[in-house]
Amino acid sequence: MNIEEFLSEDFIWLNEPVKSQLDVFEKVFTKCQDKGFVSEAFLEKIKEREKVFPTGLQLDGYGVAIPHTDPECVNKQFIAVFTPEEDVSFKRMDDSTAEVKVKIIFVLGLNQPHSQLAMLQEIMVLLQDKEAVENLRNTTDKKQMIEYLSDLSKQKQR
């Protein structure tokens, strides 16, 4: 399974001016629903799941988030990539009382349980590379983002 199967320029936001995770979720939901990728329930479900199971990760000097929700809310599989103009606060996965300032967000819209777990694992491997995350964060071209993620994924699978 390669991340590029799930990526599309339609679902990439680079240096996007947002103030909160809700702004991120709403932008992703609106675009994905317009394109028929998610059901009406997606927005509420992702917000609810984030409250119960936060997805912010504090890594080596930077924060990332990998929000996702129930497979039945996803009509067609996708991964949205979001780099906010300014860091966005997410509750931490390992300590829901703490927050992490997030530089990059991967919203997983996957409707097969095995693909959700496999993709989470693949993204976690990619995110362990601080230089790669900085490169992703500084990417200004959607096509370049897809190529870079695809190349990274292939390198890490070797």
Side-chain angles (χ1 to χ4, degrees):
M1 176 175 299
N2 190 307
I3 194 169
E4 90 180 294
E5 296 171 42
F6 303 102
L7 296 172
S8 162
E9 289 182 45
D10 287 338
F11 305 129
I12 295 176
W13 290 261
L14 302 175
N15 203 31
E16 190 71 17
V18 291
K19 299 290 181 220
S20 68
Q21 64 178 243
L22 180 57
D23 289 350
V24 173
F25 294 161
E26 287 174 345
K27 283 183 182 276
V28 171
F29 167 70
T30 300
K31 178 69 73 103
C32 289
Q33 190 183 41
D34 287 350
K35 301 266 185 197
F37 278 68
V38 298
S39 72
E40 184 70 40
F42 181 86
L43 182 59
E44 282 309 310
K45 291 288 191 178
I46 200 166
K47 291 189 306 187
E48 288 171 17
R49 190 175 196 296
E50 191 66 29
K51 282 181 189 162
V52 178
F53 301 106
T55 61
L57 294 165
Q58 181 63 58
L59 299 174
D60 184 21
Y62 55 94
V64 298
I66 312 173
H68 49 283
T69 192
D70 305 330
E72 64 268 11
C73 298
V74 178
N75 301 328
K76 296 183 212 167
Q77 298 192 106
F78 68 94
I79 296 175
V81 182
F82 210 102
T83 60
E85 187 176 66
E86 294 181 26
D87 296 353
V88 173
S89 291
F90 272 74
K91 295 284 187 189
R92 285 178 55 156
M93 187 183 293
D94 61 343
D95 178 1
S96 62
T97 64
E99 290 191 345
V100 58
K101 296 288 189 184
V102 170
K103 294 183 174 302
I104 189 164
I105 304 155
F106 291 89
V107 180
L108 304 185
L110 303 173
N111 58 19
Q112 301 297 316
H114 66 279
S115 55
Q116 189 151 316
L117 181 58
M119 198 48 58
L120 271 170
Q121 290 170 332
E122 183 170 338
I123 290 171
M124 287 303 301
V125 168
L126 299 180
L127 295 175
Q128 299 302 314
D129 183 336
K130 189 174 185 176
E131 183 181 333
V133 171
E134 277 305 309
N135 288 338
L136 291 172
R137 180 72 183 99
N138 294 322
T139 298
T140 57
D141 180 77
K142 294 178 179 191
K143 194 178 297 301
Q144 183 182 3
M145 174 68 80
I146 292 171
E147 288 171 12
Y148 190 65
L149 283 167
S150 178
D151 289 349
L152 268 176
S153 176
K154 289 172 186 166
Q155 289 172 18
K156 300 293 182 189
Q157 289 176 3
R158 288 184 198 140

